Amino acid sequence: SFFPGLAQEPGKFNYDESQVGTYTLPPLLQTTGGQKITSATQWNTTQRPALLKLFADNVYGRLPGKPAGMHYKVVSEDKQALGGKAILKQVTIYFTPADTGASMDVLLFLPKQAKGPVPVFAGLNFKGNHTVHPDPQIKVTSRWVAEDKNAGITGNRANEQTRGLQASRWVVEEIIARGYGLATAYYGDLEPDYPEGYKTGIRTQLRKNLKIQPNEWGAIGAWAWGMSRMLDYLETEPAVNAKKVALQGHSRIGKAALWAGVNDPRFAIIISNESGEGGAALARRWYGETVARLNEAFPHWFSPNYRKFDHNPNQMPVDQHQLLALVAPRPLYVASAQEDQWSDPKGEFLSAQATAPVYALFGKKGIDSSAMPGLNQPVGETVRYHNRSGKHDVTLYDWQQYLSFADKHFGQAQ
Ligand code: GCU
């Protein structure tokens, strides 16, 4: 666990369906002023901007734009990676005009056999680019990393032994074989994930004398912002089809992927893998993690205003089905894992399912049944959902679903 000691505690929360109680979700197709939303145009011009602002002001905080002076440097390029099947490129994105300031290291794998620009999966990783794949040329991050005694990570420093540590979560060979590229960066390049981490992260680096405002962006905002900067870079890469970038995120990074995806309409597909509370799961459903617990354990993730709802999520002007609906009309995949009850699989399903009327405004089909599907049985069209058997993780099964979903919506990659 990232936060030692917390691993046991989630057991104390509600896991009993009969205790969930009743709740009323804020409406999707009615404004706070009572106006009914009946068309895609009204959604786009009235309801969507209003909801986006409510999420920024009450949950995630406001995001700044693209900084002036941002630029890229190619660090390495290998045209014979993965036994000749891929191009492996490492690029540093500098957020300021200098090559010494805030930056993010992007690792890019591209299929060698491509006939033209390829669709790409993009996402941040938890432990450094070198953990995504064992290839020895991948730079080992020199940033702060979370302690992990099992992996031999001590003193908050990564090491050679952790190369490929998270490879099972990225299935690079499979992604390449299916004709897609993969772009990833370490989330700690943007903000180290601990309460004081912002002091050395981009929130401080981009703004001198940061004074945290009630609707200030948190770490999730910083990670989300970094995802958009990665896409800025991908737009400059001729081998990439930047109109076909699928953004994927797991868990806390899944929360950030949703926030990035709703703010940045350039992301063509959004994938939330077990993002749970503060991500895909309904806040008003009392099951698994709660807003209070999220804010207590991770005080740096959300905006200070979110704390107002710690003990009364019913008072929030929004709920998470509205966040998911802001992805419309783009394809959205929400995935849960059965043994990850902390993330509330059913609350994630209900939230995804509730978006159907918004997708319908655009002539798109979401999930039409309100019954929770069986294990490993994906449901839905433009909005899709599965509950995988097994624990909180990203697996080959999950990726196979995402690849097929992308094939369907992008047209087969090769
Ligand atoms: C904790 C946290 C979750 C989060 C998860 C993760 O369990 O409570 O909200 O999604 O960590 O990022 O793995």
Side-chain angles (χ1 to χ4, degrees):
S1 160
F2 283 99
F3 291 85
L6 295 182
Q8 303 307 319
E9 203 200 313
K12 289 193 227 148
F13 288 76
N14 179 47
Y15 296 101
D16 179 353
E17 270 305 322
S18 72
Q19 298 297 309
V20 167
T22 56
Y23 54 88
T24 307
L25 294 178
L28 281 163
L29 297 181
Q30 188 179 311
T31 66
T32 46
Q35 188 199 344
K36 295 261 190 278
I37 302 296
T38 57
S39 70
T41 308
Q42 273 182 314
W43 173 265
N44 283 333
T45 58
T46 308
Q47 183 73 328
R48 190 179 194 285
L51 287 175
L52 195 56
K53 187 171 182 303
L54 287 174
F55 277 105
D57 286 343
N58 296 283
V59 183
Y60 303 98
R62 299 203 163 193
L63 290 181
K66 178 177 169 178
M70 193 170 111
H71 62 287
Y72 318 108
K73 276 218 166 147
V74 177
V75 176
S76 75
E77 184 166 12
D78 173 10
K79 299 209 158 123
Q80 297 298 337
L82 305 189
K85 293 202 174 83
I87 297 166
L88 186 166
K89 203 166 164 179
Q90 299 184 88
V91 175
T92 301
I93 301 179
Y94 292 96
F95 299 130
T96 64
D99 287 0
T100 46
S103 66
M104 170 168 88
D105 292 330
V106 176
L107 170 64
L108 182 63
F109 284 97
L110 296 167
K112 186 80 180 293
Q113 295 309 329
K115 291 180 197 76
V118 293
V120 164
F121 284 88
L124 299 180
N125 62 73
F126 278 91
K127 288 174 188 277
N129 292 346
H130 65 286
T131 65
V132 166
H133 191 276
D135 190 311
Q137 67 187 305
I138 302 172
K139 184 179 154 192
V140 174
T141 187
S142 54
R143 310 254 191 202
W144 179 97
V145 290
E147 295 287 291
D148 184 341
K149 294 266 153 36
N150 294 335
I153 303 174
T154 54
N156 300 112
R157 291 290 153 224
N159 60 52
E160 287 287 330
Q161 290 72 56
T162 54
R163 287 189 177 282
L165 185 67
Q166 302 239 298
S168 68
R169 287 190 171 187
W170 292 96
V171 300
V172 177
E173 278 80 1
E174 179 81 4
I175 294 170
I176 293 296
R178 301 267 304 243
Y180 291 84
L182 173 69
T184 185
Y186 173 46
Y187 82 144
D189 284 6
L190 299 148
E191 179 161 331
D193 192 2
Y194 61 94
E196 305 285 291
Y198 74 92
K199 292 184 177 166
T200 56
I202 55 156
R203 285 198 277 154
T204 302
Q205 287 173 307
L206 293 179
R207 181 140 54 91
K208 299 266 176 304
N209 308 318
L210 171 73
K211 284 204 189 64
I212 296 190
Q213 304 296 320
N215 64 358
E216 193 69 42
W217 53 333
I220 286 176
W223 303 326
W225 183 89
M227 294 174 189
S228 285
R229 304 293 75 80
M230 183 145 71
L231 183 50
D232 294 337
Y233 157 66
L234 292 173
E235 285 185 330
T236 71
E237 176 57 66
V240 168
N241 183 345
K243 299 227 169 341
K244 293 185 176 177
V245 174
L247 181 64
Q248 182 265 15
H250 171 59
S251 211
R252 66 197 70 185
I253 297 175
K255 306 181 211 295
L258 287 169
W259 185 230
V262 304
N263 278 284
D264 192 336
R266 296 174 300 167
F267 287 112
I269 291 180
I270 310 299
I271 303 163
S272 152
N273 195 90
E274 301 153 33
S275 60
E277 193 77 20
L282 294 172
R284 280 166 175 75
R285 219 182 94 85
W286 184 50
Y287 193 100
E289 190 167 23
T290 61
V291 174
R293 170 55 170 62
L294 193 56
N295 281 325
E296 279 157 24
F298 310 100
H300 55 299
W301 283 3
F302 294 86
S303 82
N305 273 341
Y306 194 40
R307 301 215 73 153
K308 293 196 286 195
F309 309 107
D310 275 359
H311 301 289
N312 51 353
N314 285 316
Q315 299 300 310
M316 270 202 288
V318 286
D319 208 314
Q320 301 303 113
H321 64 308
Q322 294 171 310
L323 182 78
L324 299 185
L326 293 177
V327 175
R330 294 166 293 161
L332 166 69
Y333 204 120
V334 174
S336 308
Q338 192 216 8
E339 288 170 33
D340 180 21
Q341 292 294 311
W342 182 235
S343 290
D344 187 11
K346 190 169 177 192
E348 296 194 310
F349 169 73
L350 292 173
S351 178
Q353 203 272 331
T355 65
V358 177
Y359 278 80
L361 291 179
F362 294 89
K364 307 264 183 197
K365 216 165 147 204
I367 300 169
D368 49 18
S369 167
S370 56
M372 179 83 175
L375 285 185
N376 308 315
Q377 284 172 29
V379 289
E381 289 183 17
T382 308
V383 179
R384 205 159 166 81
Y385 173 87
H386 73 240
N387 189 17
R388 171 178 55 70
S389 48
K391 64 181 175 61
H392 186 60
D393 198 1
V394 192
T395 69
L396 179 60
Y397 175 86
D398 296 318
W399 277 107
Q400 285 167 338
Q401 312 318 310
Y402 305 153
L403 286 158
S404 299
F405 189 62
D407 282 352
K408 176 144 191 282
H409 293 284
F410 286 161
Q412 205 127 15
Q414 54 166 23

